[in-house]
Amino acid sequence: MCSVGPVGVPALSLGMKRATESDKSWRDLAACSGMDPALFYPERGEEVATAKAVCAVCPVQAECLAAGLYEKFGIWGGTSERERRKLRHTAATRLSIAS
């Protein structure tokens, strides 16, 4: 059986590795657990404020963001793909400056 991402979408279909037991435990605590996954996978141009509001009060927002940092679709840890791309770019820039 494949693991399930933080919003109920099979993790393997999202390009994620199979979840470990510790991964599953944070997903069980997610504020989005049991919600309609479509809310977190909006079509281009659809509003994301509702999904981000759920993420804003989620006790495992950081774990979700870490799991979804390289995902190309959806709201993960309260961020869109564009916002995650910016986070990755900022982190890479800081690392190259520090070296």
Side-chain angles (χ1 to χ4, degrees):
M1 180 172 149
C2 71
S3 60
V4 175
V7 293
V9 175
L12 294 178
S13 71
L14 298 173
M16 295 170 59
K17 295 185 268 182
R18 288 189 184 275
T20 63
E21 286 304 313
S22 62
D23 289 339
K24 290 178 185 175
S25 65
W26 75 258
R27 286 183 172 90
D28 292 339
L29 299 172
C32 62
S33 181
M35 295 183 80
D36 182 2
L39 178 65
F40 298 90
Y41 291 89
E43 295 293 324
R44 184 179 293 253
E46 287 183 340
E47 71 93 19
V48 296
T50 304
K52 287 185 172 194
V54 172
C55 297
V57 298
C58 184
V60 292
Q61 183 179 12
E63 291 87 344
C64 182
L65 177 56
L69 191 58
Y70 291 92
E71 292 297 328
K72 292 189 177 186
F73 303 103
I75 303 299
W76 289 80
T79 63
S80 65
E81 194 282 328
R82 179 178 290 160
E83 292 164 329
R84 291 190 301 278
R85 189 175 341 124
K86 187 175 179 180
L87 286 171
R88 292 190 307 268
H89 176 74
T90 300
T93 301
R94 287 182 180 168
L95 286 173
S96 68
I97 291 171
S99 338

